[in-house]
Amino acid sequence: MNRLGAVWGILLLLGLSPMPFVHADITDGNSEHLKREHSLIKPYQGVGTSSSSQWDFWGSTLVTSQYVRLTSDERSKEGSIWNTVPCFLKDWEMHVQFKIHGSGKKNLHGDGIAIWYTRERLNPGPVYGNQDHFVGLAVFVDTFRNDLHGMDVRPVFGNSPKFHGLALFIDTYPNDEASDRSFPYISAMISNGSLPYDHGKDGRSTELGGCSVEIRNKDHDTYLAIRYSRGRLTIMVDIDDKNEWKECIDIGGVRLPTGYYFGSSAATGDLSDNHDIISMKMYQLMVEHTPEEENLDWTKIEPSVSLLKSPKDNIDDPTGNFRSTPLTGWKVFLLLLCALLGIVVCAVVGAVVFQKRQERNKRFY
Ligand SMILES: *[C@@H]1O[C@H](CO)[C@@H](O)[C@H](O)[C@H]1NC(C)=O
Ligand SMILES: [Ca+2]
């Protein structure tokens, strides 16, 4: 290739590389698109004090000029804060700055924070101080593992000595890194109200995906971003003080209506933490929709996710969201295949050795 050709090649590569588009999509604090009516920003003037207020709070929530404390580091507290203005944006990104801190030692703190985009608001219940049969989207920052037996449901795994070699294979398989959900753990759930969030099982059966995060007692700021655009739900975290987003959840086939409410809630039980919201900043994403899409009544959409399988077996999700689960069908198949291969190799080697020996023996006769 001559030099001009190389230059064109590079230009083409730059132009076609998906990265610029991905980044163009993230608002990253572009103040033009900040929607004040859906944002909660220091010093939280007017929050909850008047009928024209854009944010209401409930329960143990304490609003100071520096933070909104949903619960303090005390037992059996529940608090929430809710946007009073329904959101009619079709494509949006919510940036939440939060801080979870307390005196509890490792694993002796709880329960966490939930961020909501739901049909109802200020509806207390057992899920981080909110209702369990909610309609809409919930993102949970779960700091306490309730389901202590969650790890016992894996058959075979290391139980039978016969499987040791193969178990090693499973262990090193990249998709299985998250096999043990370590806590704190961020997960997302979308519900039409039919299925409850099961707090005792940390919502494992209804989660769409998740990631483990280290977010407690940090000296630096910790952020979470939830983006919904064109049927795609993306959750990112910025928790390492590096000022960059890291993907936590990214799934397609998501349908959420307009006209729901944003909110946040937190609860403590026997164990506790301070659960603080520093800010919730809502950005409108500038996305074109077809005339047909524009003509739909987006408020009538029922929250749903079109997965081929149930969320829990979300292995073949084409979006690459490989949250692993205990041995699923194709892993068992892989295991058996490996076992079979092993047997075949042994048999072949055995046969060859046997034959060689036979030949050698023949030569002596
Ligand atoms: C609600 O969702 C469940 C599955 O999560 C589904 O079986 C049910 O049909 C949905 N309800 C409606 C009214 O669509
Ligand atoms: Ca939990």
Side-chain angles (χ1 to χ4, degrees):
M1 205 192 313
N2 62 24
R3 210 188 297 167
L4 195 67
V7 169
W8 275 116
I10 288 168
L11 284 180
L12 204 67
L13 262 181
L14 285 177
L16 292 181
S17 114
M19 291 310 282
F21 295 107
V22 169
H23 284 287
D25 221 5
I26 298 175
T27 61
D28 259 337
N30 184 343
S31 55
E32 262 177 68
H33 303 143
L34 177 74
K35 293 288 152 191
R36 297 221 157 247
E37 66 274 29
H38 301 302
S39 298
L40 180 69
I41 301 173
K42 276 190 237 181
Y44 323 110
Q45 264 158 358
V47 168
T49 51
S50 67
S51 58
S52 65
S53 168
Q54 288 163 348
W55 292 84
D56 257 356
F57 58 91
W58 170 86
S60 56
T61 302
L62 175 77
V63 182
T64 74
S65 64
Q66 296 302 309
Y67 52 81
V68 173
R69 182 154 292 169
L70 299 172
T71 79
S72 54
D73 192 0
E74 291 168 74
R75 294 167 70 165
S76 304
K77 299 283 176 197
E78 289 179 335
S80 64
I81 186 151
W82 287 91
N83 196 190
T84 60
V85 187
C87 177
F88 289 100
L89 303 174
K90 295 186 173 78
D91 303 87
W92 48 263
E93 191 166 303
M94 175 65 98
H95 293 193
V96 182
Q97 185 185 347
F98 63 98
K99 191 170 172 70
I100 301 179
H101 55 114
S103 55
K105 298 277 180 313
K106 189 167 167 45
N107 299 332
L108 292 176
H109 49 79
D111 283 311
I113 293 179
I115 312 293
W116 307 92
Y117 176 65
T118 52
R119 194 175 65 191
E120 282 106 35
R121 50 191 293 283
L122 281 174
N123 215 335
V127 180
Y128 301 84
N130 197 35
Q131 63 182 142
D132 52 359
H133 283 271
F134 64 92
V135 180
L137 165 72
V139 176
F140 303 106
V141 182
D142 189 347
T143 54
F144 179 72
R145 183 199 295 278
N146 296 77
D147 185 17
L148 294 172
H149 303 292
M151 291 150 76
D152 295 339
V153 290
R154 289 178 295 167
V156 183
F157 214 59
N159 277 347
S160 150
K162 214 165 58 182
F163 274 93
H164 256 115
L166 300 172
L168 184 67
F169 158 74
I170 291 182
D171 258 345
T172 52
Y173 200 78
N175 285 353
D176 264 82
E177 270 168 21
S179 206
D180 285 356
R181 313 198 297 178
S182 80
F183 284 66
Y185 184 81
I186 294 182
S187 66
M189 170 175 173
I190 285 176
S191 178
N192 60 15
S194 66
L195 286 175
Y197 173 89
D198 184 351
H199 194 256
K201 295 233 180 306
D202 305 302
R204 194 176 185 121
S205 60
T206 47
E207 78 165 77
L208 299 170
C211 63
S212 296
V213 287
E214 276 302 324
I215 36 92
R216 266 190 91 241
N217 286 342
K218 296 293 175 201
D219 290 329
H220 56 261
D221 297 339
T222 45
Y223 301 88
L224 169 79
I226 305 167
R227 183 201 305 157
Y228 177 67
S229 179
R230 292 183 189 275
R232 193 167 198 93
L233 176 72
T234 312
I235 296 176
M236 290 163 293
V237 290
D238 176 0
I239 52 174
D240 297 326
D241 203 17
K242 290 199 188 116
N243 198 23
E244 64 187 22
W245 293 113
K246 262 198 340 214
E247 190 179 296
C248 174
I249 297 170
D250 184 26
I251 49 169
V254 173
R255 284 169 60 76
L256 286 172
T258 58
Y260 280 16
Y261 297 95
F262 284 100
S264 178
S265 70
T268 62
D270 287 339
L271 300 167
S272 63
D273 251 337
N274 295 296
H275 296 104
D276 298 349
I277 298 288
I278 314 298
S279 66
M280 292 177 76
K281 292 183 180 172
M282 162 60 60
Y283 298 95
Q284 177 171 18
L285 299 178
M286 295 304 170
V287 173
E288 298 243 342
H289 288 278
T290 62
E292 296 86 72
E293 282 175 337
E294 293 288 353
N295 288 336
L296 284 175
D297 184 354
W298 283 53
T299 63
K300 294 276 186 326
I301 293 173
E302 190 189 8
S304 68
V305 184
S306 55
L307 293 169
L308 298 173
K309 302 175 180 173
S310 77
K312 215 168 169 310
D313 303 325
N314 194 2
I315 295 299
D316 292 333
D317 183 352
T319 60
N321 177 36
F322 294 106
R323 190 189 62 76
S324 70
T325 43
L327 288 175
T328 41
W330 71 277
K331 278 185 204 161
V332 171
F333 171 75
L334 271 184
L335 262 179
L336 289 179
L337 195 70
C338 281
L340 201 67
L341 276 179
I343 290 168
V344 168
V345 167
C346 282
V348 169
V349 168
V352 168
V353 168
F354 181 70
Q355 213 165 26
K356 281 266 164 68
R357 203 168 278 171
Q358 289 279 350
E359 274 169 358
R360 209 182 309 153
N361 285 348
K362 258 182 232 156
R363 255 178 262 136
F364 280 115
Y365 288 132

